[in-house]
Amino acid sequence: MTRHHIYGLPSFSKDLVLLWLSSIGACNCLKTIIFEGYNADIVHKCTTIWMLATTRMKKSIRQPENWQDFESLCKKLFGELWNCSLKIKKNGRLGQPQAGVDVYAIPEGQSKYWGIQCKGKDNYKKSKLTKKEIDKEIENAKSFKPELETFIFCTTAVKDSKIEEYIRIKDIENRENGGFEILLYSWEDIADFIDENRNTYNWYVDNIQFKDQFDTQIDFFGVDNELIVKPKFEKITTKYRIKKPIDNQIEKSIFPHHAFLSQVEPIGIFGGSNKINHSWCSFETLIHNSGSTVLEDWKFYLYFDENVRKIDDDFTNDIFMYEKLSKYRTTFAYDEDNMILYSPLDDKPLIQKDSRQFKSYFIPKIGSKEVSIRWELLARDYNREGTITFQIEPEYENSTKTAWVDSKEDEKEEIEIIEFVETKKSS
């Protein structure tokens, strides 16, 4: 049997050498060099170069560009780690309550579910895991059904000794109370796992190479550049009181014209009216081509969820300017579909390192705490989608009116919340 010598190691059969080379992921050219009869020094140099290259690659494994890809990476990686790639799942769809769990499965050899919280969001690489977030997600995970055996935080943040210590404390505390185990994997830990699990490594590197060609950064900005909007509503308190025997004329004078408050039609925020509707919320969308390839034939869509009453784009409603400016229009609101489209002027491509920005408007339904917007970028040979959620922090303008009733039993107070429409004072 032909035997081969690996520099610094005893001789082995060809089959064993091939098995070793495959286990370390050696390329075909290195195998060819070894089996074409090159001397030990050449083999050693080639092997050393390859191993140094893979070491550098390991250290340079970079984070996914967005939280959706990070969630997909966690699913792929832990499916391989737990040997359950056909059974591991993402939890629900975007925008649904997830009980603190983004990815879940029963690992091979286990009998209960393990859950993963992928701590990522838009601009997520700048975010850090906080104790407040940890406490909140642990409480959320307690409501996952059936109950978890292990709960894992996966984060793109770098290792932080204080946060790791806090996780250890919470882990002991939770298990002593009969709860699940709690673990934390920071990006360095995850990069090690990627490097040690070949299927995930190849899948992830292939994705990164594709993104080196086509890649985009999508950012959204609400109030103070946060994912928060603050619509203003009018809160009208109607007090029903027993009618007093007073002259009708006097009654009219003490019951001012409050009735108009509930009769005002919602007014747009753009030209053509002396009324301003303060219930409209606005946010900016920034689309940046961060890849190495031009985006051609591209469009960008925003799909608003059921918590939105009305939408509008940033194009003028001024009837005198509408026709003149129409040829420059790039944003289009479709009320029936609850959708806004951005279409670049004259289908102009988005070249590398260039950006486009536009503003959108919506009025949330009264009582809504958040609004989710699904976005989609479609281009030739490339598409991408995701979801952004805005927190609603409403403000209220309070007013009171009185209504007369005939009996004490009918006395009561009612509160009505409507869009806050204000008339501009003439200058």
Side-chain angles (χ1 to χ4, degrees):
M1 180 183 295
T2 303
R3 304 184 73 81
H4 298 267
H5 182 78
I6 304 298
Y7 186 82
L9 296 174
S11 60
F12 295 96
S13 69
K14 178 177 179 180
D15 289 341
L16 285 177
V17 173
L18 280 173
L19 180 62
W20 174 75
L21 290 169
S22 297
S23 72
I24 63 173
C27 58
N28 288 330
C29 63
L30 180 57
K31 297 175 187 177
T32 301
I33 288 172
I34 290 174
F35 292 113
E36 287 296 326
Y38 288 94
N39 64 42
D41 284 339
I42 294 177
V43 172
H44 173 65
K45 289 176 182 177
C46 291
T47 307
T48 302
I49 290 171
W50 183 86
M51 296 187 76
L52 286 173
T54 57
T55 301
R56 286 195 295 271
M57 187 172 290
K58 172 182 173 181
K59 290 181 179 179
S60 64
I61 291 178
R62 67 175 186 257
Q63 303 148 313
E65 291 296 326
N66 57 73
W67 66 265
Q68 296 95 334
D69 288 348
F70 182 51
E71 189 175 279
S72 297
L73 170 61
C74 289
K75 177 177 177 288
K76 177 72 175 178
L77 174 60
F78 284 90
E80 185 174 0
L81 283 169
W82 297 345
N83 200 23
C84 61
S85 58
L86 298 179
K87 296 182 180 180
I88 191 167
K89 288 187 175 184
K90 293 182 181 180
N91 189 15
R93 67 175 186 271
L94 293 171
Q96 287 186 315
Q98 296 175 312
V101 175
D102 296 314
V103 177
Y104 66 92
I106 299 178
E108 185 178 59
Q110 302 296 319
S111 59
K112 293 185 177 181
Y113 280 99
W114 290 30
I116 302 170
Q117 167 61 220
C118 306
K119 292 309 295 179
K121 48 195 171 185
D122 284 315
N123 292 329
Y124 75 107
K125 286 191 283 188
K126 299 177 183 178
S127 67
K128 294 183 179 180
L129 194 59
T130 65
K131 294 180 180 180
K132 183 177 180 181
E133 282 182 305
I134 291 169
D135 292 341
K136 177 183 176 182
E137 298 300 347
I138 289 173
E139 287 305 310
N140 288 339
K142 291 178 181 178
S143 63
F144 184 85
K145 301 298 181 185
E147 64 182 21
L148 297 172
E149 183 174 43
T150 301
F151 182 53
I152 301 173
F153 287 94
C154 285
T155 175
T156 56
V158 298
K159 294 176 78 67
D160 184 327
S161 60
K162 292 183 179 179
I163 290 298
E164 290 182 323
E165 176 185 306
Y166 189 70
I167 287 286
R168 294 194 297 269
I169 292 170
K170 299 300 292 186
D171 171 46
I172 296 297
E173 175 186 299
N174 204 55
R175 285 193 285 129
E176 286 180 347
N177 291 324
F180 44 70
E181 179 184 24
I182 302 171
L183 300 174
L184 167 66
Y185 296 128
S186 300
W187 180 247
E188 291 91 335
D189 302 316
I190 294 170
D192 285 340
F193 285 146
I194 294 172
D195 187 69
E196 293 163 4
N197 291 271
R198 189 56 45 184
N199 288 337
T200 301
Y201 178 88
N202 292 334
W203 172 85
Y204 187 60
V205 169
D206 286 344
N207 276 343
I208 286 180
Q209 289 173 347
F210 175 75
K211 289 182 179 183
D212 283 341
Q213 299 173 25
F214 290 100
D215 200 10
T216 51
Q217 180 178 337
I218 313 296
D219 290 318
F220 299 86
F221 308 97
V223 176
D224 298 326
N225 289 336
E226 297 289 339
L227 299 182
I228 298 172
V229 290
K230 298 182 179 182
K232 195 168 187 178
F233 297 106
E234 182 159 19
K235 184 182 290 186
I236 306 171
T237 302
T238 302
K239 297 180 179 181
Y240 293 87
R241 298 292 182 260
I242 296 178
K243 187 175 182 179
K244 296 181 180 179
I246 55 177
D247 182 80
N248 286 341
Q249 191 64 33
I250 300 176
E251 178 179 331
K252 290 179 182 179
S253 68
I254 68 169
F255 187 49
H257 303 289
H258 290 293
F260 85 92
L261 291 172
S262 60
Q263 297 171 359
V264 173
E265 289 298 321
I267 307 299
I269 49 180
F270 307 106
S273 173
N274 66 335
K275 297 183 183 297
I276 302 175
N277 189 336
H278 294 282
S279 299
W280 284 102
C281 304
S282 67
F283 65 93
E284 299 273 354
T285 301
L286 176 67
I287 307 160
H288 177 70
N289 185 353
S290 54
S292 59
T293 301
V294 175
L295 291 182
E296 299 181 281
D297 302 329
W298 69 281
K299 291 178 173 58
F300 193 86
Y301 298 85
L302 296 172
Y303 299 93
F304 295 78
D305 71 5
E306 65 279 0
N307 289 328
V308 168
R309 299 180 64 187
K310 303 173 186 175
I311 60 171
D312 207 343
D313 52 59
D314 58 357
F315 191 67
T316 181
N317 284 340
D318 190 320
I319 58 175
F320 300 106
M321 298 297 296
Y322 193 91
E323 186 174 350
K324 289 183 178 180
L325 296 177
S326 290
K327 59 183 178 180
Y328 303 110
R329 186 173 189 178
T330 56
T331 53
F332 304 84
Y334 298 91
D335 293 321
E336 63 275 13
D337 299 317
N338 241 19
M339 181 264 286
I340 291 177
L341 163 67
Y342 177 87
S343 181
L345 194 63
D346 299 325
D347 290 325
K348 186 177 180 180
L350 187 61
I351 64 174
Q352 301 91 325
K353 298 183 179 180
D354 200 4
S355 300
R356 295 291 183 274
Q357 189 165 352
F358 66 96
K359 184 175 283 190
S360 304
Y361 301 84
F362 67 89
I363 298 180
K365 289 183 178 178
I366 294 169
S368 297
K369 295 183 179 179
E370 62 182 29
V371 165
S372 290
I373 304 168
R374 183 173 68 85
W375 56 267
E376 185 174 26
L377 172 64
L378 296 180
R380 186 193 304 176
D381 301 322
Y382 176 75
N383 63 78
R384 185 179 164 195
E385 63 180 24
T387 298
I388 191 73
T389 299
F390 283 95
Q391 301 301 313
I392 309 298
E393 297 182 0
E395 298 176 347
Y396 297 98
E397 183 78 10
N398 294 304
S399 62
T400 305
K401 66 180 182 179
T402 303
W404 305 114
V405 295
D406 295 323
S407 66
K408 192 168 183 63
E409 289 76 13
D410 293 328
E411 284 191 322
K412 59 183 179 180
E413 291 188 2
E414 289 182 344
I415 295 177
E416 181 185 15
I417 299 176
I418 63 172
E419 295 172 11
F420 178 47
V421 179
E422 188 175 45
T423 301
K424 293 188 292 185
K425 295 181 180 179
S426 302
S427 56

